[in-house]
Amino acid sequence: MSHDIDAAPVGTPPSRRATIRRASERGHYDRDTLHAIVDAAWLCHVAFTDTRGHDESGEPFAVCLPTACWRIGEALYIHGSNGSPMMRRLASGVNACVTVTHLDGLVLARSAFSHSMNYRSVVAYGRFTVVPDADKPAALDAFMARLLPGREHEARPADDSELKATLVLSMPLEEASAKVRNWGPRDKDQDGDHPAWAGVLPLATTRLAPVPDERSRATGQPLPPSVRAWLDADPGPAPFSS
Amino acid sequence: MSHDIDAAPVGTPPSRRATIRRASERGHYDRDTLHAIVDAAWLCHVAFTDTRGHDESGEPFAVCLPTACWRIGEALYIHGSNGSPMMRRLASGVNACVTVTHLDGLVLARSAFSHSMNYRSVVAYGRFTVVPDADKPAALDAFMARLLPGREHEARPADDSELKATLVLSMPLEEASAKVRNWGPRDKDQDGDHPAWAGVLPLATTRLAPVPDERSRATGQPLPPSVRAWLDADPGPAPFSS
């Protein structure tokens, strides 16, 4: 993910609204970058327009909610209860915007103005469609495997009534762009002599020691293969080039 | 933030659209909870409706973008370039939705269906207004102090041309709700004998060793008070009650 800030964006914008306009040197449109950012996330923010629940004139307003997500091939998946207003609204085929963001560091420059953040983000526009009943078990298995590889072999799979209560939606990752900032501060030349220390304060998502529930603790149940592999596979912080 | 799952939500919903409907036992409407979740974040997701850049009929679509945020009193602030399409759109007073989310852990239940995540989130509806020029320096100082306490005394403050190039917007945190899940798996009774290990895999945002930029490294510049205090003040993982 190292990136030359003077280089042109990688790949081609798929549409006008998915074109990066601000800080376009941070833009990426290639599949590898998009997929890596989505695959590093357990959740996304889904935005869509609504009018219900608004006290005024029926002017549309945007709703933005966090939800778990996973990728299969070129599509992003979410799931939820059949009764969820968000899921029902998205299942109706309204325009949606899905955003995935990782904050990788605070960037301290010599001037307040040049402070920044290192991050990786993906913004995808599109419409969700309902995953048919026949494809639901495989899609939900892929979610388990994405949440925690191997967990799909340990947990009791969903039964018919649970599958029936669950809506699975997918959206193509076609109209999407990524933005990556992964370098140090870029002060203006005239600030070089200002005495403030400058650099990056990196942030990382750390995997802490698993906490068993009451029954697993009481029986002294050993950690399963999925959890042991998860602890071993901690990817550490995202790299950056100062 | 410990929370009895059988308790009613804390506080009163401020509006119909800001009422938590799904998993309402996770809902909070009190100022302390809202403020703590916002204050623990460096960035939010801002959603708003737009029609520009859309290839079809002019149907409104939601845009959802990550941006830095900070709180002063009962308002949430964001900033950006005068030339940013998002900032200009929000400055025009359209409806906005601001969402802040912290992912605190993966919740492994015995059944796939009961898997969950621990998280803290805030969703706020409202309209941004432009912070007047006279109030911008104080608002941006508060941002510096929020990004890294003490940094506002180290960095060169913004000069007139930088202030002019920067738009600062604020939105009241009135029509807002929080959602918190911070407990272990809740399996159905009949899954108690399924042999899968169950518990929580906690996640935490960790502060890694600061990386000086080229000039600070070359001169062997010591870490400033702001950064030393930041490293000492690492809050560690959010607590939860299994």
Side-chain angles (χ1 to χ4, degrees):
Chain A
M1 204 79 78
S2 134
H3 182 60
D4 176 353
I5 61 163
D6 297 323
V10 178
T12 309
S15 74
R16 195 169 145 226
R17 66 177 172 175
T19 302
I20 308 254
R21 295 171 195 286
R22 304 302 304 174
S24 61
E25 73 281 5
R26 304 176 188 171
H28 298 254
Y29 302 97
D30 61 297
R31 310 317 301 170
D32 285 354
T33 302
L34 289 167
H35 291 178
I37 293 170
V38 170
D39 291 351
W42 281 290
L43 60 79
C44 63
H45 285 79
V46 180
F48 53 98
T49 60
D50 209 338
T51 54
R52 301 165 306 158
H54 193 36
D55 294 329
E56 294 174 30
S57 59
E59 174 192 346
F61 62 93
V63 177
C64 175
L65 298 175
T67 195
C69 66
W70 68 103
R71 181 180 68 85
I72 304 177
E74 294 297 332
L76 181 128
Y77 287 70
I78 63 173
H79 82 311
S81 163
N82 255 327
S84 149
M86 174 178 87
M87 293 300 288
R88 293 161 77 113
R89 178 83 179 154
L90 293 172
S92 77
V94 290
N95 269 306
C97 178
V98 175
T99 305
V100 169
T101 307
H102 307 278
L103 177 61
D104 294 326
L106 309 179
V107 180
L108 308 187
R110 290 174 179 81
S111 69
F113 186 75
S114 294
H115 277 62
S116 189
M117 291 181 179
N118 280 342
Y119 62 92
R120 293 160 288 150
S121 66
V122 161
V123 176
Y125 296 97
R127 297 173 194 273
F128 281 94
T129 53
V130 177
V131 172
D133 286 348
D135 299 335
K136 260 199 245 180
L140 289 169
D141 260 12
F143 176 40
M144 276 281 95
R146 168 69 201 92
L147 189 78
L148 184 66
R151 189 64 181 169
E152 70 279 17
H153 307 305
E154 297 167 357
R156 175 180 66 68
D159 63 26
D160 283 349
S161 74
E162 290 168 343
L163 285 173
K164 212 167 170 179
T166 305
L167 208 49
V168 181
L169 303 177
S170 78
M171 192 182 94
L173 278 172
E174 280 162 17
E175 202 179 337
S177 59
K179 230 168 153 177
V180 177
R181 192 193 191 286
N182 60 357
W183 50 84
R186 297 279 182 260
D187 267 309
K188 297 175 184 170
D189 286 343
Q190 65 264 34
D191 285 317
D193 292 329
H194 184 79
W197 182 94
V200 174
L201 306 183
L203 298 166
T205 299
T206 309
R207 304 171 178 202
L208 304 178
V211 181
D213 81 347
E214 210 172 309
R215 182 183 291 252
S216 286
R217 189 187 298 124
T219 59
Q221 199 170 11
L223 293 178
S226 64
V227 176
R228 292 202 312 269
W230 183 80
L231 288 169
D232 290 343
D234 197 328
F240 78 94
S241 48
S242 64
Chain B
M1 205 81 80
S2 131
H3 182 59
D4 177 353
I5 62 165
D6 297 320
V10 179
T12 308
S15 74
R16 193 168 147 226
R17 64 177 173 176
T19 302
I20 307 252
R21 294 170 196 288
R22 303 303 304 175
S24 60
E25 73 281 5
R26 303 176 187 172
H28 298 254
Y29 302 97
D30 61 298
R31 312 316 301 169
D32 286 352
T33 302
L34 289 167
H35 290 177
I37 293 171
V38 170
D39 291 350
W42 281 290
L43 61 79
C44 63
H45 285 78
V46 180
F48 53 98
T49 60
D50 209 338
T51 53
R52 302 164 306 159
H54 193 36
D55 294 329
E56 294 173 30
S57 59
E59 174 191 345
F61 61 94
V63 177
C64 175
L65 298 175
T67 194
C69 67
W70 69 102
R71 180 180 68 86
I72 303 176
E74 295 296 333
L76 180 127
Y77 286 71
I78 63 173
H79 81 311
S81 164
N82 255 327
S84 148
M86 174 178 87
M87 294 300 290
R88 294 162 77 114
R89 178 83 178 156
L90 292 173
S92 77
V94 290
N95 267 307
C97 177
V98 175
T99 305
V100 169
T101 308
H102 305 280
L103 177 61
D104 294 327
L106 309 178
V107 180
L108 308 187
R110 290 174 179 81
S111 70
F113 187 76
S114 293
H115 277 62
S116 189
M117 290 181 181
N118 279 343
Y119 63 91
R120 291 160 290 150
S121 66
V122 161
V123 175
Y125 296 97
R127 298 173 194 272
F128 282 95
T129 53
V130 177
V131 172
D133 286 348
D135 299 334
K136 262 199 244 180
L140 289 169
D141 260 11
F143 176 40
M144 276 282 94
R146 168 68 201 93
L147 189 76
L148 183 66
R151 188 65 181 168
E152 70 279 17
H153 307 304
E154 299 168 354
R156 174 179 68 69
D159 63 26
D160 283 348
S161 73
E162 291 168 341
L163 285 173
K164 211 167 171 178
T166 304
L167 207 50
V168 181
L169 304 178
S170 77
M171 191 182 95
L173 278 172
E174 279 162 18
E175 201 180 337
S177 59
K179 230 169 154 177
V180 176
R181 191 195 191 285
N182 61 356
W183 48 86
R186 297 281 182 258
D187 268 309
K188 298 175 184 171
D189 286 342
Q190 66 263 36
D191 285 318
D193 292 330
H194 183 79
W197 181 94
V200 173
L201 306 183
L203 298 166
T205 299
T206 310
R207 304 173 176 200
L208 304 178
V211 180
D213 81 346
E214 210 173 308
R215 182 183 290 253
S216 286
R217 189 184 299 123
T219 59
Q221 200 170 9
L223 292 178
S226 63
V227 176
R228 291 201 312 269
W230 184 80
L231 288 169
D232 289 343
D234 196 328
F240 77 94
S241 49
S242 64

